[in-house]
Amino acid sequence: MSPIDPVVQKEIPVIQKIIDDETWLEGERRGCFVRKSDPVVVGNVCSVILRIGRQLRQGFTSSGSEQEPCR
């Protein structure tokens, strides 16, 4: 088994927070309990990660300042 990339280890809690937030938000929208595996939640999480993924990775790498900022 290969070791986990240290950047990925740092990203996991942030991604978990995004999942928790999107699950809570969808539950508020519907007015009922929503599972983390709900297709709407999964889609929203993917949208957020696609939108902020590059910035997130840059923030957790030492070479992030050398790369062009996300627009």
Side-chain angles (χ1 to χ4, degrees), residues 4-49:
I4 296 177
D5 180 345
V7 174
V8 172
Q9 285 181 318
K10 293 176 185 176
E11 290 174 326
I12 289 173
V14 176
I15 293 170
Q16 185 59 52
K17 177 70 170 130
I18 293 167
I19 294 168
D20 293 344
D21 289 350
E22 290 301 322
T23 303
W24 178 83
L25 285 168
E26 190 58 29
E28 288 292 304
R29 285 183 198 108
R30 296 183 193 180
C32 63
F33 173 79
V34 177
R35 295 186 185 278
K36 293 178 181 187
S37 60
D38 184 272
V40 174
V41 173
V42 172
N44 291 344
V45 169
C46 289
S47 294
V48 171
I49 297 300

